[in-house]
Amino acid sequence: MLESELHDLSDDADYAASQQQGSASMMLRSDSIKQNSPRDGAEVVFTKENVAIHPTQFASERISGRLKLIKQSSALFMTWIPYKGHSTEARLSDNERNLYTIRAVPFTEIRSIRRHTPALGWQYIIVVLSSGLAYPPLYFYSGGVKEFLATIKQHVLLVRSEEDANVFLVNDFQNTLQRTLSSLELPRAVPLACGPSNMSVDESILNENQERADNDVNNGSSSVTHFHGRPRQKVDPARDISIQVLEKFSLVTKFARETTSQLFRENQINGFSERRTPIQTNIDHPRRSSHVEEKTSDESCLALDSQEFDNLSLVWGKPRQPPLGSEEWIIFLDSEGRVTDSEALRKRVFYGGLDHELRNEVWGLLLGYYPYDSTYAEREFLKSIKKSEYENIKNQWQSISSAQAKRFTKFRERKGLIEKDVVRTDRSLPFYEGDDNPNVNILRDILLTYSFYNFDLGYCQGMSDLLSPILFVMDDESEAFWCFVALMERLGPNFNRDQNGMHSQLFALSKLVELLDSPLHNYFKQRDCLNYFFCFRWILIQFKREFEYEKTMRLWEVLWTHYPSEHLHLYLCVAILKRYRGKIVGEGMDFDTLLKFINELSGHIDLDATLRDAEALCICAGENGAARIPPGTPPSLPIDDGSVYAQQDEIL
Amino acid sequence: MSYAYLFKYIIIGDTGVGKSCLLLQFTDKRFQPVHDLTIGVEFGARMITIDNKPIKLQIWDTAGQESFRSITRSYYRGAAGALLVYDITRRETFNHLASWLEDARQHANANMTIMLIGNKCDLAHRRAVSTEEGEQFAKEHGLIFMEASAKTAQNVEEAFIKTAATIYKKIQDGVFDVSNESYGIKVGYGGIPGPSGGRDGPSAAAGGCCS
Ligand SMILES: Nc1nc2c(ncn2[C@@H]2O[C@H](COP(=O)(O)OP(=O)(O)OP(=O)(O)O)[C@@H](O)[C@H]2O)c(=O)[nH]1
Ligand SMILES: [Mg+2]
């Protein structure tokens, strides 16, 4: 539908302009090195204009900026600062811009750089940090990837990975040694508020960067505050609270605003402000309690946020309702079976879920397989059309003869992997248990058919977990297939082989925790846990292994309503982490312990309570929260351009 | 139960080679063919005795699928032992060993003890990798080697224990500074003689449950 917008920049004036700018900067490049030459030992060794991030799949929504390599003493740093006030990007908020800003990351923190040089389109790189987290792809609109890598090579050890010629490992020779050394270090005593990434670069260089990237003079300092999001100023703490709260509320949704005044009164009664200090001293800065007074208001605000949200969640998480049953369901339909008010339906399902008998009828609507305004008859018709369409696709692999299969390694491998996995999916459930269970074969057929329907994405582990409840509910091969297709339209990128989708999820999660629970964020930072890998399974298979089957189905239908946010699953992660923050911080969990702890939460999470918390967090965070989730993070509905899953590697 | 030492193990290798089954056989002494495939990582733990000392093994069973590797690598950190598993009936799982090994060497500590396991040796009639090839590979790369079966339990106990014995010997020989937990070893009660031997932190923690 939006295809024309995609990768079509032929008539994009901005692109033309940027091209000009690009060539100009090419000429300026060597000059700029001289201009910035050694001042306090910091030197800009590489500058590239028009290096952009595509926050969505629309190339036209890119954020352009300037990429630099800066050398100070013997350390090399990379920065990427987005331009300000670019006309076609006006609708991107400062928040979004700041979200992506790369502020002097030292190469000691970079593990590898992956280069992508597609035949069509722009070259881009993906920078992977040693934490394992990756920045979004940086597109070089004016070329220069090679030059960039060559410059790096002059300053740090850069070696091509043996596994993949497009991957360049940074400082790899020291890897083992370095790791051993760094693990010998005592827990870092770095002030928590300032990340390792901007520790050591000369501030003046940074500020200069900032100014040069800022076309908007008036706004010169706003992005300096960056993720902290608030200007630095000394404020009377008691007054501070109301200001902060008001400020936050001015951004949140209508619903939030309506509740604000009531909430305010309650908080004051609760002695809200008095509880602030202990939080800071006990959790945020265990060893620095005597310095509380010296801290900037920045930190106070951050500490405050979490406290504030703790209180809010008590007030706002609406009680869950009983599931929607058949009698009430009828009310949502007109005489011909159309859903008259889909918003109301989604809201109702969000708060209560569905009676099991209704799932078969409603899931297809929630997933977008059937349009809400379709009639009973239209749905029956669609069902029969789709059935033959399914059979056609299925026939594509069913008709592969064994002689042909012999010469079709990719097919054999895929089939083999799927066969291995369907026998390891929910086999303890009556629906899938026992030898030669026909439902297991249907799982296999659907997955194999899907891997032909979406050959680029193919099959990836975790898909069988997502399909299992759908087949159980739909109890029809073709219907289950199409519902699965609709679900994968939303979640497909999570299964990309380069893990791009999952990295953007984890990135978004880290930003949300930073916003909604800064003590926990600081703790993770201190403990080197910011990659959030411990939440990997939660997100990839949407908590399927964390709840019993029935609860999983309940949760999924709630998530699928995309009410109040399409990214509710991320708020759910925050809600769970927040709930256990005391334990995590109190017991001083390190990465290993945390991973184990999170794994073992499986089966012990109270779904309803967590959903209430997640809802509250989502509403509290409002647009602030939404702005921290990189656009395009699944399940943002993707665009059907066929290139979303384009793979570079050959595995399956 | 208190322990003298706690060792962290990781189990790595291609998807479907039987890592989770090996773990389950070792911790629960049963073969569960319908066990779910692994997403991310799973945990198991068991006490064993070496040289009359109770040793707790904390075992991380990782997901084998290629595309999860960028995530699962982060689990290698601080492991004292690794079981590198292939499936003797699937040649490609043997062919991939070198890349697993490289990963392990890169992301785990250098003194990690690695045990190579050719699993599913109950399926000898479908064998695609000979015992000699396994031995050869192990020899070339300095690994301990065993063929095993998670199904019949053959050599499963031995594989885990022999790895622990090797680690234990390294401790005795002073290869590790056991007070540094990055080696994947924690000292509990009675672990090392001297002032730090009686540290009750880990043993007290282990007292509550055996996870
Ligand atoms: N015959 C036989 N089958 C085995 C043995 N070990 C595992 N299997 C089978 O091999 C399949 C895969 O075993 P898993 O333990 O799930 O494999 P895994 O290595 O954990 O795989 P991932 O979790 O995907 O990385 C299962 O269906 C088991 O039934 C064995 O020793 N003998
Ligand atoms: Mg497994």
Side-chain angles (χ1 to χ4, degrees), chain A residues 424, chain B residues 15-16 18-21 35-39 42 61-64:
Chain A
R424 297 188 291 160
Chain B
T15 175
K19 299 181 294 295
S20 300
C21 288
H35 184 90
D36 281 355
L37 65 98
T38 309
I39 306 270
E42 274 152 28
D61 166 29
T62 65

Side-chain angles (χ1 to χ4, degrees), chain A residues 111 162-163 172 175-176 179 183-184 417 420-421 423-427 460-462 464 497 499 528 533 536-537 540-541 545 591-592 595-596 599-600 651, chain B residues 8 15-16 33-43 58 60 65-68 70-71 73-75 77 90 102-103 105-108 110 180 182 211:
Chain A
R111 177 190 294 167
E162 281 174 25
E163 284 168 46
D172 193 51
N175 215 306
T176 325
R179 254 155 231 287
S183 53
L184 286 170
L417 187 51
K420 251 184 210 58
D421 287 354
V423 297
R424 297 188 291 160
T425 304
D426 293 328
R427 296 297 298 287
C460 186
Q461 285 185 340
S464 65
R497 236 161 289 285
Q499 296 291 316
D528 221 357
F533 283 173
F536 180 78
R537 186 173 79 186
L540 185 77
I541 51 174
R545 304 265 180 110
F591 181 78
D592 282 18
L595 186 63
K596 187 159 176 291
N599 253 263
E600 285 164 0
I651 305 151
Chain B
K8 172 178 168 180
T15 175
V34 298
H35 184 90
D36 281 355
L37 65 98
T38 309
I39 306 270
V41 67
E42 274 152 28
F43 294 89
Q58 188 187 79
W60 296 43
Q65 179 169 281
E66 172 76 25
S67 64
F68 294 158
S70 63
I71 310 277
R73 273 180 197 128
S74 69
Y75 307 145
R77 200 162 35 172
R90 275 162 61 218
E102 191 186 309
D103 246 28
R105 294 257 147 94
Q106 215 178 85
H107 299 278
N180 177 353
S182 73
S211 58

Side-chain angles (χ1 to χ4, degrees), chain A residues 315-326:
Chain A
V315 183
W316 279 4
K318 272 208 195 163
R320 308 288 305 163
Q321 295 170 14
L324 173 66
S326 356

Side-chain angles (χ1 to χ4, degrees), chain A residues 417 419-421 423-424 427 461, chain B residues 11-25 31-40 42 61-65 68 85 87 89-90 100 118-123 125-126 148-154 156:
Chain A
L417 187 51
E419 276 166 353
K420 251 184 210 58
D421 287 354
V423 297
R424 297 188 291 160
R427 296 297 298 287
Q461 285 185 340
Chain B
I11 313 184
I12 56 178
D14 277 13
T15 175
V17 295
K19 299 181 294 295
S20 300
C21 288
L22 284 166
L23 174 61
L24 204 68
Q25 182 59 260
F31 178 63
Q32 166 75 282
V34 298
H35 184 90
D36 281 355
L37 65 98
T38 309
I39 306 270
E42 274 152 28
D61 166 29
T62 65
Q65 179 169 281
F68 294 158
V85 187
D87 175 349
T89 70
R90 275 162 61 218
W100 283 109
N119 189 35
K120 308 199 187 177
C121 71
D122 57 293
L123 300 175
H125 56 288
R126 281 171 41 199
S149 165
K151 187 170 179 177
T152 65
Q154 184 187 337
V156 173

Side-chain angles (χ1 to χ4, degrees), chain A residues 363-371 382-383 386-387 474 478-479 482-483 486:
Chain A
W363 275 19
L365 291 161
L366 291 176
L367 284 168
Y369 166 41
Y370 294 115
L382 189 68
K383 188 171 165 176
K386 286 292 187 182
K387 190 171 179 63
M474 303 312 290
S478 160
E479 289 291 280
W482 290 110
C483 283

Side-chain angles (χ1 to χ4, degrees), chain A residues 323-567:
Chain A
L324 173 66
S326 356
E327 279 164 40
E328 195 187 344
W329 164 235
I330 305 294
I331 305 171
F332 286 94
L333 302 172
D334 70 12
S335 59
E336 295 182 312
R338 293 182 196 88
V339 175
T340 44
D341 184 351
S342 63
E343 167 93 12
L345 174 65
R346 284 167 45 234
K347 182 172 174 184
R348 177 64 184 87
V349 175
F350 175 80
Y351 283 109
L354 297 160
D355 259 354
H356 187 70
E357 307 76 66
L358 275 184
R359 288 188 171 132
N360 180 285
E361 197 176 346
V362 184
W363 275 19
L365 291 161
L366 291 176
L367 284 168
Y369 166 41
Y370 294 115
Y372 283 112
D373 59 1
S374 56
T375 62
Y376 292 122
E378 284 163 348
R379 290 200 283 272
E380 278 309 307
F381 181 66
L382 189 68
K383 188 171 165 176
S384 68
I385 304 257
K386 286 292 187 182
K387 190 171 179 63
S388 64
E389 199 179 320
Y390 173 72
E391 293 300 332
N392 279 339
I393 307 166
K394 186 176 173 186
N395 193 249
Q396 288 171 8
W397 61 263
Q398 281 191 319
S399 61
I400 293 174
S401 67
S402 52
Q404 190 187 354
K406 249 186 217 143
R407 298 167 179 81
F408 196 171
T409 310
K410 207 163 198 166
F411 170 67
R412 284 199 320 276
E413 284 177 354
R414 254 184 209 183
K415 187 156 179 274
L417 187 51
I418 291 170
E419 276 166 353
K420 251 184 210 58
D421 287 354
V422 291
V423 297
R424 297 188 291 160
T425 304
D426 293 328
R427 296 297 298 287
S428 53
L429 296 175
F431 190 74
Y432 292 110
E433 87 188 343
D435 296 338
D436 300 319
N437 183 317
N439 294 323
V440 174
N441 293 336
I442 299 176
L443 273 185
R444 177 201 59 204
D445 288 359
I446 294 178
L447 288 169
L448 199 49
T449 307
Y450 181 77
S451 87
F452 269 70
Y453 174 79
N454 190 346
F455 200 87
D456 289 342
L457 184 59
Y459 170 76
C460 186
Q461 285 185 340
M463 287 184 182
S464 65
D465 274 275
L466 292 185
L467 175 58
S468 156
I470 292 179
L471 178 60
F472 172 68
V473 162
M474 303 312 290
D475 207 16
D476 173 280
E477 186 169 336
S478 160
E479 289 291 280
F481 173 81
W482 290 110
C483 283
F484 180 68
V485 166
L487 180 62
M488 292 308 287
E489 284 301 298
R490 300 179 177 195
L491 300 178
N494 287 347
F495 292 91
N496 270 345
R497 236 161 289 285
D498 63 4
Q499 296 291 316
N500 230 339
M502 283 306 295
H503 278 298
S504 70
Q505 300 277 355
L506 298 172
F507 180 78
L509 177 57
S510 73
K511 292 295 154 208
L512 284 180
V513 173
E514 188 178 23
L515 172 74
L516 294 164
D517 195 335
S518 60
L520 191 62
H521 171 82
N522 288 335
Y523 179 78
F524 285 158
K525 188 173 190 176
Q526 187 189 21
R527 287 302 182 125
D528 221 357
C529 292
L530 279 184
N531 63 26
Y532 285 85
F533 283 173
F534 44 87
C535 296
F536 180 78
R537 186 173 79 186
W538 287 1
I539 295 173
L540 185 77
I541 51 174
Q542 303 280 292
F543 301 93
K544 161 101 173 348
R545 304 265 180 110
E546 320 312 318
F547 298 104
E548 317 144 7
Y549 214 58
E550 166 60 33
K551 285 268 163 62
T552 301
M553 294 190 282
R554 168 67 26 88
L555 170 61
W556 284 7
E557 62 212 9
V558 168
L559 293 177
W560 295 343
T561 62
H562 284 189
Y563 179 99
S565 158
E566 57 191 13
H567 295 110

